[in-house]
Amino acid sequence: MAIRRELFAGEVLYRQGDPTDCAWLIESGQVELVSVHGRRTTRHGVLGAGELIGELGLLDGAPRSATATARADSVLLAIEREQFMERLQAGDPILRTLVDSLLQRIRGLVASLPADAEMPSEDVPCDDPVERLGIDKIRLEAQLRDALSSGELEVRYQPIYDIAAARVAGYEALVRWDLPGSGPVSPAQFIQLAEETSLIVPVGEYVLDKVIGVLQALRDDGADPLPSIAVNLSARQLVEPGMARQIVARAERAKLPAGALKLEVTESRMLDYAPVAAVMKHCREQGLPFALDDFGTGYSNLTHLHSLDFEFIKVDQAFARHMFDSERAMAMVEAIVNMAHAIGAKVICEGVETREQLDRLRAMGVEYAQGYLIGKAAPAEEVLSGAAARTGEEAATA
Ligand code: C2E
Ligand code: CA
Ligand code: CA
């Protein structure tokens, strides 16, 4: 299904009676809705930019109740059924009942309209901030689906520096999205949006495919030792049925050596520890090590730490940033590093931006450093040519 449609004035988007496959968000232009019942014609009004059409049929699965015709040259974004349904199903049951009841009432009202009725056409821009936020999210989600299907997401690779060996030992894969016309969208923003629905699953698969491709290319080029690449997994992906087996199977199919592909998961976003612990154990046994990401942020539920089978702890960048602020801040970093070592985990310190931070972390026995001092996330070509590793090592030893 086309995710984006451009219509000339007079062109029909859909006809009354057509099956409802999606709703549309009007990006620009105007669309009129007209229904005909016997000799009765109802004009439902003209809708403009920022408004949704066809969303009722999406909710109850009924065929199109009216014909939608562009009244000016228009651009529309398709909103798929699951975008709404997943959120409705995850929502408060009271809200769901309310939506159902409103839906039935609207259907009833439309059916009882007199012949040749003309609904008032409101041409007022939406000024409710909550509604606007909803429309913005719907739009961004549709654009993300579009970017995913047209391969517009890019994966970049931030070097991870082995402090004792003084070399770049691996990378973290970070997804990038440059939205045409609006510039880069922060992954923090769109990953969170994707996590609200199952959209995170195809996003994760996309990233995983790219990463496996890069690892295979490095291996085929004879990279020795083969650097590792860590992929971020959201807690939602981790508990998706069959996900762990799928990741393991992909790594096996690609014939990657144990440890080449790593997984990162943010502890503070874990909903349920038991399934996460089972997945971690399974992956680790199959040669896929885990790192506990953003350690020390949100809440670190230490009571569950012992049951999770991870090999690395990534100390959140806030700790490196503040380590020289006070003795207390420094003591916190030392305590986390000691605790990680005591439970047999290696430490990756994030957000390392200065030589002083790196030297101090080395003195503490921290194994790995990641941050702008070593390098920002680089395109795949720089990883494949070895340029990302070379510049990282030069910067760290300069
Ligand atoms: P994260 O996993 O904690 O990734 C590290 C973030 O810190 C990255 O931001 C990186 O660019 C940034 N960073 C690295 N070194 C430094 C530094 O020295 N100083 C500062 N100030 N920042 C540094 P980014 O790329 O914006 O990613 C944000 C978050 O989005 C990530 O946090 C991760 O949680 C999520 N994310 C990114 N890619 C993916 C993905 O493919 N899948 C999933 N599920 N999440 C992803
Ligand atoms: Ca991470
Ligand atoms: Ca992190």
Side-chain angles (χ1 to χ4, degrees):
M1 184 184 64
I3 293 176
R4 193 183 167 81
R5 271 194 72 178
E6 291 179 21
L7 296 176
F8 295 118
E11 240 183 301
V12 172
L13 176 65
Y14 55 74
R15 289 186 193 281
Q16 185 176 349
D18 283 353
T20 301
D21 51 354
C22 67
W24 295 95
L25 174 65
I26 305 173
E27 283 285 87
S28 63
Q30 285 187 327
V31 179
E32 187 178 26
L33 288 171
V34 177
S35 65
V36 178
H37 296 277
R39 287 187 320 189
R40 202 184 77 193
T41 301
T42 310
R43 298 190 177 282
H44 298 270
V46 178
L47 300 169
E51 291 187 282
L52 282 174
I53 51 171
E55 76 281 19
L56 291 187
L58 207 62
L59 292 172
D60 63 7
R64 300 292 188 195
S65 57
T67 296
T69 310
R71 283 286 157 252
D73 291 354
S74 306
V75 178
L76 299 104
L77 270 180
I79 312 298
E80 290 174 48
R81 187 173 161 80
E82 62 260 36
Q83 263 187 266
F84 282 135
M85 297 321 280
E86 278 185 336
R87 286 176 191 277
L88 261 186
Q89 274 148 16
D92 187 327
I94 297 178
L95 278 181
R96 269 189 342 242
T97 312
L98 209 64
V99 170
D100 270 350
S101 136
L102 281 172
L103 196 60
Q104 281 172 28
R105 195 161 310 162
I106 293 172
R107 293 285 192 213
L109 274 175
V110 171
S112 64
L113 282 171
D116 300 319
E118 181 127 10
M119 305 271 275
S121 173
E122 283 183 63
D123 209 5
V124 279
C126 160
D127 58 358
D128 175 357
V130 176
E131 197 179 320
R132 240 194 349 255
L133 187 70
I135 293 285
D136 286 348
K137 273 177 97 167
I138 290 172
R139 178 186 295 116
L140 198 64
E141 201 177 317
Q143 286 166 327
L144 181 56
R145 280 175 199 269
D146 194 18
L148 202 55
S149 65
S150 50
E152 273 170 26
L153 296 184
E154 192 201 352
V155 180
R156 294 209 166 199
Y157 301 85
Q158 187 177 29
I160 298 177
Y161 185 70
D162 180 332
I163 301 177
R167 65 178 182 86
V168 167
Y171 302 87
E172 175 180 1
L174 294 164
V175 68
R176 293 283 174 268
W177 180 23
D178 205 4
L179 182 59
S182 343
V185 186
S186 150
Q189 187 191 354
F190 73 83
I191 290 289
Q192 195 197 349
L193 184 74
E195 274 176 7
E196 288 174 13
T197 65
S198 56
L199 195 53
I200 190 66
V201 175
V203 171
E205 282 172 2
Y206 180 94
V207 174
L208 194 64
D209 278 347
K210 296 275 179 199
V211 167
I212 289 180
V214 169
L215 281 169
Q216 281 178 310
L218 283 167
R219 184 202 54 202
D220 296 348
D221 279 357
D224 186 26
L226 187 64
S228 61
I229 303 185
V231 170
N232 287 285
L233 287 182
S234 72
R236 178 168 181 145
Q237 275 171 285
L238 212 57
V239 295
E240 190 78 15
M243 174 65 75
R245 245 174 286 280
Q246 229 187 75
I247 297 176
V248 168
R250 276 182 196 219
E252 269 174 6
R253 262 204 309 279
K255 300 200 168 50
L256 296 177
L261 183 66
K262 288 185 182 157
L263 303 168
E264 290 190 9
V265 63
T266 300
E267 187 229 8
S268 61
R269 284 193 233 142
M270 277 178 208
L271 312 167
D272 201 349
Y273 280 83
V276 173
V279 168
M280 270 193 187
K281 188 165 180 291
H282 174 72
C283 288
R284 178 126 178 225
E285 283 166 1
Q286 304 297 319
L288 290 171
F290 258 94
L292 206 56
D293 203 358
D294 302 339
F295 188 80
T297 59
Y299 68 100
S300 290
N301 194 337
L302 298 177
T303 55
H304 289 280
L305 221 51
H306 67 92
S307 63
L308 298 174
D309 199 3
F310 53 86
E311 204 161 53
F312 302 90
I313 279 186
K314 296 193 81 171
V315 179
D316 189 71
Q317 48 178 272
F319 290 93
R321 190 176 307 134
H322 297 295
M323 64 195 280
F324 289 108
D325 287 5
S326 67
E327 278 177 26
R328 286 168 72 120
M330 188 64 83
M332 291 285 298
V333 180
E334 274 167 349
I336 293 175
V337 172
N338 290 338
M339 186 213 64
H341 287 161
I343 59 171
K346 295 186 184 106
V347 177
I348 303 167
C349 218
E350 295 189 282
V352 177
E353 295 185 356
T354 66
R355 285 304 308 258
E356 293 67 39
Q357 291 166 337
L358 183 65
D359 291 342
R360 194 59 183 256
L361 294 169
R362 180 185 289 115
M364 280 182 207
V366 168
E367 285 85 357
Y368 301 95
Q370 181 181 356
Y372 295 165
L373 174 69
I374 294 107
K376 292 193 171 178
E381 305 79 63
E382 287 184 30
V383 171
L384 294 172
S385 69
R390 273 195 303 278
T391 42
E393 283 155 14
E394 279 162 20
T397 48

